[in-house]
Amino acid sequence: MSNSPPPERAALRQHYRSVRRNLSAAARAKAEAQICGHLVALLTQRNPRVWCAYLANDGEADIAPLITPATAPVGLPRITEKLMHFHAWSPGEPLVRNRFQIDEPEESATRLDAARIELLLMPLVAFDAAGNRLGMGGGFYDRFLGSQSVQPCCVGVAFAEQQAPSPLPSAAWDIPLHAVVTQHGVVKFPSTSESAR
């Protein structure tokens, strides 16, 4: 059985990765500032005790300004083989670069109890109006979430340009988003919002 992604998903992934990488520097900076503003409001509103973010890569929306000494520690993903876990990290603590060339906490950093994570900010390649998320293809977020009996509130972070005009193809193991944050604000998805903490 082939491990390669279905042609349609592969083509969509290539297209939307290009879309986010090709934003002009000025448009990107303005959009990221707006996204961070919306996320600050969301974090203030929800006030999660344990929340997780990501470090941007490959043109993803950069939300690093959210992670400050005042908000730390925050959970950041760390990948081992085909699994992903979240480890506590505070500004100034060391990071190491993984095989995907993404910075992550050191192995010695405290691993978070997944059941205690209340809010998970997730990067994505594309999303649609129903809350379906197209990721980079590794399946790390889906495997992590699929292994949890209690789901955190899953919030996608993207540029508005990454919204697909028609439904994205989905598989049985795909975990839909509760909401997505773009430079235009927060969009909640009714089909999943009831299960959000």
Side-chain angles (χ1 to χ4, degrees):
M1 184 175 179
S2 173
N3 290 325
S4 60
E8 184 181 7
R9 288 173 76 112
L12 285 167
R13 189 171 286 116
Q14 181 178 11
H15 170 74
Y16 283 103
R17 286 178 70 187
S18 177
V19 166
R20 72 183 184 189
R21 283 197 303 254
N22 289 334
L23 289 171
S24 71
R28 176 179 294 276
K30 180 179 179 181
E32 288 175 339
Q34 292 169 324
I35 288 169
C36 285
H38 296 311
L39 287 173
V40 166
L42 179 67
L43 287 166
T44 300
Q45 177 189 16
R46 297 192 68 95
N47 192 29
R49 287 164 294 181
V50 181
W51 64 286
C52 297
Y54 65 89
L55 297 177
N57 179 62
D58 189 51
E60 294 166 347
D62 186 359
I63 59 172
L66 289 179
I67 308 170
T68 68
T71 62
V74 64
L76 291 180
R78 178 176 171 81
I79 292 171
T80 56
E81 297 300 325
K82 291 188 175 183
L83 298 177
M84 180 177 71
H85 301 284
F86 288 87
H87 293 248
W89 184 82
S90 296
E93 292 180 348
L95 294 165
V96 294
R97 189 150 290 189
N98 64 25
R99 66 182 185 273
F100 300 109
Q101 301 305 305
I102 301 172
D103 287 336
E104 61 183 20
E106 292 187 316
E107 186 177 3
S108 59
T110 301
R111 181 167 149 181
L112 298 178
D113 178 356
R116 296 184 60 220
I117 299 172
E118 298 175 21
L119 179 67
L120 177 57
L121 302 181
M122 305 166 62
L124 55 86
V125 174
F127 68 97
D128 64 21
N132 293 308
R133 168 188 176 271
L134 182 67
M136 290 288 283
F140 292 103
Y141 280 93
D142 289 319
R143 280 193 294 275
F144 171 77
L145 292 168
S147 67
Q148 307 306 313
S149 57
V150 179
Q151 296 291 319
C153 178
C154 299
V155 178
V157 182
F159 300 105
E161 291 81 356
Q162 292 172 252
Q163 181 170 0
S166 55
L168 291 169
S170 61
W173 57 82
D174 289 336
I175 305 294
L177 299 167
H178 295 109
V180 68
V181 175
T182 74
Q183 64 266 43
H184 300 323
V186 181
V187 178
K188 296 180 180 179
F189 302 110
S191 62
T192 55
S193 61
E194 290 302 317
S195 59
R197 295 189 190 183

